[in-house]
Amino acid sequence: VKIERIEAIPYSIPYTHPLRFASGEVHAAEHVLVRIYTDNGLVGIADTPPRPYTYGETQESIISVMRDIFAPQLIGLDPLEREKAQRVMSRTVNNPTAKGAVDIALWDLIGKSLGAPVHKLLGGYAEQMRVSHMLGFRPAPELLEEALRFREEYGVTTFKLKTGRRPLSLDIEAVRVLREGLGEESEIYLDANRGWSANEALEVLRRTEGMGLSLLEEPCDAAEAMGRRRLVQLSPIPVVGDESVPTPGDVARELLSGGCTAVCIKTARSGFTQAKEILALCTGLGVDVTMGNQIDTQVGSLATVTFGAAHEATQRRAGELSNFLDMADDLLVEPIEIRDGVIRVREGPGVGAEIDQGKLAHYRQDT
Ligand code: MUC
Ligand code: MG
């Protein structure tokens, strides 16, 4: 079996309301759908979210790296030859979500050719993932209203609050309002997307003491190594690396140099193959992982559920899986459902993302 053709389709689906965070904001899912076709009639599918403020990728850069660099070298490979595909892609630096999408589409093809669900091929540990909901920048009362609605409607009890604002009191007040309104039982953690300095993050930790925060993600730029290490040493809660640790090499460097004490895994930027390597590093070194969200569509969220449910360590914590609910529409024939706070894996062959052709025709931007 050989790869015959690779498609990279730009599309745009509006958000019902924007998601805002310290490094940027999203008003529409302007993504690239990747489809890899084989000579025996199978199609592997994955979604690619351009995040210029995180990785420097755009829709155009993703399409051109696929068309001009990856496709000519991947066409003719057997989809099972994932290591060869990894080596081809590693000759081009960066472009993490373009590489991740190729890898996920290859796993999808492998699952489809074996008639097996990919969550089983990856590990088959659980049938579902608990959901954590990401709260973007909003006034504190609106944040609480959103969190209470998610608890009521979807049974979600874990919330990641986007922070990194100045003055610090904006975020500290939001934490206080959420904790008071949600009570002791809900989990709350912070992601500052590098918005603070290390010392500002320490001040936030001091001023939120006793409010039961569980994690502090990417509080400041990890490149400011000394301040970051001091913060990590003084923090009473794990400091999670996210955009500072997109590859296994970055994970090893940041963990060993004291830049973080937990790691966010995102399948959109790591694919399943590198996500496995990152997970092995983390379990081997004894640090927690979270399954993060690259502000994914349902196609991307299904990939996260597939990987997250497959391993014990990735399903222990709730995964960030609900941002697609902010979109006006999506591409799946069978929409993802969040019920009693969980999303279930798909039992069909592959990753399970069947694309609604009518919707794709409607939202694609290249016709
Ligand atoms: C996150 O966890 O940081 C925001 C920017 C990005 O690259 O991912 C999101 C979520
Ligand atoms: Mg993050």
Side-chain angles (χ1 to χ4, degrees):
V1 178
K2 292 202 170 356
I3 296 172
E4 204 172 57
R5 189 160 63 91
I6 301 180
E7 258 183 344
I9 305 170
Y11 67 91
S12 177
I13 302 179
Y15 268 58
T16 53
H17 57 271
L19 181 73
R20 296 197 167 89
F21 41 95
S23 54
E25 54 187 68
V26 173
H27 295 259
E30 294 182 328
H31 293 198
V32 179
L33 187 74
V34 171
R35 293 200 283 205
I36 303 186
Y37 295 80
T38 58
D39 59 2
N40 66 344
L42 296 177
V43 189
I45 295 165
D47 196 45
T48 320
R51 297 286 167 256
Y53 32 78
T54 315
Y55 309 117
E57 292 173 288
T58 63
Q59 265 181 322
E60 290 75 15
S61 79
I62 288 164
I63 290 166
S64 88
V65 81
M66 283 295 176
R67 185 193 52 214
D68 303 333
I69 302 184
F70 294 162
Q73 299 181 80
L74 294 172
I75 287 168
L77 288 187
D78 182 327
L80 281 167
E81 295 169 340
R82 283 180 298 106
E83 179 65 10
K84 285 187 189 166
Q86 289 287 323
R87 298 284 63 82
V88 161
M89 293 190 289
S90 72
R91 285 183 218 138
T92 302
V93 300
N94 302 325
N95 293 281
T97 72
K99 293 173 181 173
V102 168
D103 185 67
I104 290 169
L106 292 181
W107 276 95
D108 191 33
L109 281 171
I110 292 166
K112 284 169 175 164
S113 64
L114 296 174
V118 172
H119 75 92
K120 287 262 167 72
L121 295 177
L122 288 168
Y125 184 75
E127 307 288 304
Q128 61 191 41
M129 276 286 285
R130 274 193 308 124
V131 174
S132 163
H133 180 60
M134 195 194 294
L135 298 160
F137 290 172
R138 281 179 124 172
E142 288 179 28
L143 288 170
L144 177 60
E145 205 180 302
E146 183 176 339
L148 289 171
R149 183 169 64 81
F150 267 75
R151 199 160 71 175
E152 177 68 24
E153 255 179 62
Y154 302 107
V156 170
T157 57
T158 304
F159 298 94
K160 158 153 134 175
L161 178 65
K162 285 298 197 186
T163 55
R165 291 179 291 179
R166 296 184 177 108
L168 305 180
S169 54
L170 279 173
D171 292 332
I172 295 165
E173 174 64 4
V175 174
R176 194 189 58 75
V177 167
L178 281 174
R179 178 53 80 207
E180 274 180 23
L182 290 168
E184 292 301 306
E185 295 307 306
S186 288
E187 179 178 351
I188 304 172
Y189 59 106
L190 309 185
D191 182 358
N193 286 109
R194 299 160 280 147
W196 295 319
S197 67
N199 285 334
E200 284 173 322
L202 274 170
E203 186 179 335
V204 171
L205 284 175
R206 267 198 309 276
R207 289 168 63 187
T208 53
E209 222 182 290
M211 295 187 200
L213 295 174
S214 59
L215 303 165
L216 175 61
E217 183 169 314
E218 219 67 271
C220 55
D221 195 332
E224 291 158 16
M226 241 179 116
R228 174 78 168 227
R229 267 181 240 174
R230 180 164 171 273
L231 162 66
V232 169
Q233 276 164 8
L234 293 174
S235 175
I237 54 177
V239 174
V240 185
D242 173 11
E243 50 267 46
S244 61
V245 290
T247 70
D250 296 318
V251 170
R253 186 199 60 231
E254 287 303 310
L255 285 174
L256 294 175
S257 67
C260 64
T261 38
V263 167
C264 170
I265 297 177
K266 289 180 174 170
T267 54
R269 69 172 172 224
S270 302
F272 296 153
T273 302
Q274 290 210 7
K276 273 254 188 214
E277 293 173 20
I278 289 171
L279 176 60
L281 272 171
C282 293
T283 52
L285 290 167
V287 305
D288 280 14
V289 297
T290 61
M291 288 307 301
N293 192 308
Q294 201 60 74
I295 320 178
D296 292 303
T297 62
Q298 294 192 22
V299 180
S301 303
L302 205 51
T304 305
V305 175
T306 297
F307 187 87
H311 314 89
E312 192 277 331
T314 47
Q315 59 78 61
R316 215 181 292 156
R317 290 181 175 279
E320 293 155 16
L321 294 162
S322 57
N323 283 92
F324 67 83
L325 290 167
D326 291 345
M327 291 169 57
D329 202 356
D330 220 302
L331 294 180
L332 291 186
V333 170
E334 190 195 325
I336 293 182
E337 281 185 24
I338 305 176
R339 224 180 264 149
D340 299 328
V342 304
I343 296 178
R344 296 189 60 77
V345 291
R346 301 256 152 127
E347 286 309 338
V351 176
E354 196 193 330
I355 302 300
D356 184 314
Q357 298 308 331
K359 288 187 177 183
L360 181 60
H362 181 70
Y363 294 114
R364 67 188 295 169
Q365 297 164 296
D366 58 348
T367 49

